[in-house]
Structures are given as C-alpha cells and as structure tokens.
C-alpha cells in the first residue's frame, strides 16, 4: 500500500465517521410523536366485553416520517389483574402531520381500566416536501345511529397518478362539544385516480351511541413504513383542472393596475 493510498483511505474513514455523527445528531434532535388525544370504552356484548380505543398522534418534525410505532393496550380488572394485552402496529405518521387510529379487542373477563403506551418511532427522512403528501379525499359520507351501533358509509379517492393498493379509513366519533368518544377503521383496496371506492363501517363497540354527534374521517396508506406513501407522492399528483377553457381570453387585462412609485402602500 502506497503512502497516498493510506491518506485517501484515512480521509474516507473520517468522512464516513463525520456523516454518521451528523446523522445521529440530527436524529437525536427530532421531537418525539405527541399524543394529541386518546380515549377508550368498554361495552358488554355476547361472548365478552369489547374494549374500544381511539386516538390521534402528531408529528411536529417537518422532514421525517415516524415509522414502526406500536401501541400497547393493557386492560385490567377491578383487582388489578391484567385481562387484555395487545400490541397494535400503527401506520407511518407523515412529516408535520397526524395519525388518527382506532382498535378493539374482546375480553372474556370484565375490564375496569384501560391504558395505552407507545413504542418510540423510528425516523426516516422524507423524499419530498410536506405539500407533496396530499390527503386522500373522502366524499358522500352518510352516518346512521342504530340501537346496536353507529353506521358510517362513504367514498374515498386518491389525488395521485399511481393507484393506492390499500388505504385505511378511520372514523373518530365525537360528541357535540368535539370530545372524542371512540372510533372505528376499515380498509379499501385498489383506489385509482379515475374513480372512488366505497367503504362501510358498522361500529358496535362505542359506549352510549346517543352522544355521538359527528364522525371525523381520514384515510391514509396502510403499513408501518412510509414507503407506500412515498411511492405515491413520487409518482406525482393528478392536476386539479384538466379541462381547457372554452371562453376567449380578455382583450385587455382587467386586473388591478400596479401601484405607482409615489404610492408605496402595501
């Protein structure tokens, strides 16, 4: 090995060490996901007790996805005995965005208290700016209160050119004051840019459906990795206006005239 080869090798090692140190420092500076709100309820049903939970996680980091987040749900009976322990993998949380989620499980013994803990997120640098990750539009929503639950029906679409292979639609149920009461989720597959897909949720696990005043709906890519969302964003979005104007252009611009040099008002 020549002297110059040794120098080049040493510089390469120093460069890699510097990059690794910079990456670790950047990750350490990221703010953890915050629990904006969460709620749980217990309903007696045939065959046991249904535990329902819902919540919202927020990501205040503008350039990173929060991945591989897991919610651990623990329910205990009146004596403190653990009757439910469930780990729920959550979908990736987009940069400067939020993640509404819900879940349920059946317990054979009656729970009296429910707690939810969260595994810290793993961070992944986003390949696009925040505005590239557009929301999935939801339309024609209908809700029906029933004696045995709450029905939510609607349609979900996509703003992207590439089809979304699987989307998870979540409904957060709130009272007239906006307080979170519970929620439900369902999945819709193969959502393309030229059509919408119908979803149906029959939520039976929220206590006292008479208090429900509205359902707040959101859709997102399914999976704990940011990869599905990234691929859709990198494929580009569908233009909002694609129809050519049929009227002739104005012969003269009728907009406001520019301010003169003497008029410097904003």
């Amino acid at each position: 090995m020549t002297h110059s080869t040794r120098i080049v090798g040493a510089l390469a090692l120093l460069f890699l060490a510097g990059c690794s140190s910079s990456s670790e420092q950047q990750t350490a500076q990221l703010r953890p996901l915050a629990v904006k709100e969460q709620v749980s309820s217990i309903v007696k049903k045939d065959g046991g007790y249904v535990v329902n939970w819902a919540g919202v996680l927020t990501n205040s980091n503008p350039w990173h996805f929060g991945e591989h987040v897991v919610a651990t749900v623990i329910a205990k009976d009146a004596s403190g005995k653990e009757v439910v322990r469930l780990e729920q993998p959550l979908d990736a949380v987009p940069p400067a965005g939020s993640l509404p989620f819900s879940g349920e499980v059946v317990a054979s013994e009656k729970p009296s208290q429910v707690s939810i803990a969260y595994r810290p997120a793993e961070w992944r640098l986003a390949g696009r700016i925040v505005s590239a990750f557009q929301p999935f539009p939801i339309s024609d929503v209908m809700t029906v209160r029933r004696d045995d639950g709450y029905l939510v029906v609607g349609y979900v679409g996509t703003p992207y050119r590439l089809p979304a292979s699987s989307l998870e639609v979540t409904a957060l149920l709130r009272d007239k004051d906006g307080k979170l009461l519970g929620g439900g989720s369902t999945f819709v597959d193969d959502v393309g840019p030229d059509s919408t897909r119908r979803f149906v949720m029959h939520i039976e696990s929220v206590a006292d459906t008479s208090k429900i005043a509205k359902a707040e709906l959101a859709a997102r890519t399914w999976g704990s990795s940011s990869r599905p969302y990234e691929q859709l964003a990198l494929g580009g979005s569908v233009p909002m206006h694609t129809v050519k104007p049929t009227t002739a252009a104005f012969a003269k611009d009728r907009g406001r005239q520019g301010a003169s040099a003497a008029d410097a008002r904003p």
Side-chain angles (χ1 to χ4, degrees):
M1 183 183 292
T2 64
H3 180 67
S4 60
T5 303
R6 292 193 186 95
I7 293 176
V8 171
L11 290 173
L13 289 173
L14 287 172
F15 175 76
L16 291 174
C19 289
S20 176
S21 175
S22 175
S23 176
E24 291 176 359
Q25 183 178 7
Q26 185 182 36
T27 302
Q29 293 175 348
L30 294 173
R31 293 180 288 275
L33 296 177
V35 182
K36 183 179 180 180
E37 55 186 335
Q38 68 180 29
V39 71
S40 62
S41 62
I42 302 166
V43 178
K44 177 70 172 69
K45 294 286 185 179
D46 294 339
Y49 298 86
V50 181
V51 180
N52 177 281
W53 62 89
V56 180
L57 297 179
T58 60
N59 178 9
S60 59
N61 301 293
W63 302 107
H64 290 77
F65 275 91
E67 296 185 326
H68 306 295
V69 182
V70 177
T72 301
V73 181
I74 300 174
K76 297 180 180 181
D77 63 14
S79 66
K81 175 187 173 183
E82 191 174 289
V83 295
V84 169
R85 174 178 285 269
L86 180 142
E87 290 194 342
Q88 179 188 13
L90 301 180
D91 299 322
V93 190
S98 61
L99 174 72
F101 67 94
S102 68
E104 65 178 52
V105 67
V106 178
S108 57
E109 302 177 53
K110 182 179 181 179
S112 62
Q113 57 178 326
V114 181
S115 62
I116 307 174
Y118 302 91
R119 184 184 303 170
E122 297 177 15
W123 299 106
R124 180 183 179 87
L125 184 64
R128 299 292 300 274
I129 60 175
V130 173
S131 60
F133 301 102
Q134 300 180 39
F136 297 91
I138 294 176
S139 59
D140 301 324
V141 177
M142 180 186 70
T143 60
V144 179
R145 183 182 291 104
R146 294 180 172 179
D147 293 336
D148 61 342
Y150 196 79
L151 183 68
V152 183
V153 180
Y155 291 83
V156 61
T158 177
Y160 301 105
R161 296 181 183 274
L162 297 176
S165 59
S166 185
L167 297 179
E168 184 171 3
V169 183
T170 296
L172 297 181
L173 306 180
R174 301 182 181 276
D175 65 12
K176 60 182 180 62
D177 297 320
K179 180 182 178 182
L180 183 62
L181 302 175
S185 296
T186 190
F187 295 91
V188 181
D189 297 328
D190 301 322
V191 182
D194 300 325
S195 61
T196 57
R197 298 296 297 269
R198 186 170 182 259
F199 63 85
V200 178
M201 275 181 271
H202 187 201
I203 306 170
E204 304 177 80
S205 53
V206 175
D208 197 357
T209 57
S210 65
K211 294 182 179 180
I212 300 173
K214 65 177 180 178
E216 184 180 284
L217 290 150
R220 60 193 181 277
T221 53
W222 176 71
S224 59
S225 166
S226 62
R227 184 178 179 183
Y229 211 169
E230 291 264 32
Q231 288 178 332
L232 292 175
L234 290 172
S237 58
V238 178
M240 292 182 61
H241 304 288
T242 58
V243 179
K244 184 178 180 179
T246 57
T247 58
F250 293 128
K252 181 181 179 181
D253 185 5
R254 298 193 299 184
R256 187 180 65 180
Q257 295 182 349
S260 63
D263 187 0
R265 292 174 298 176

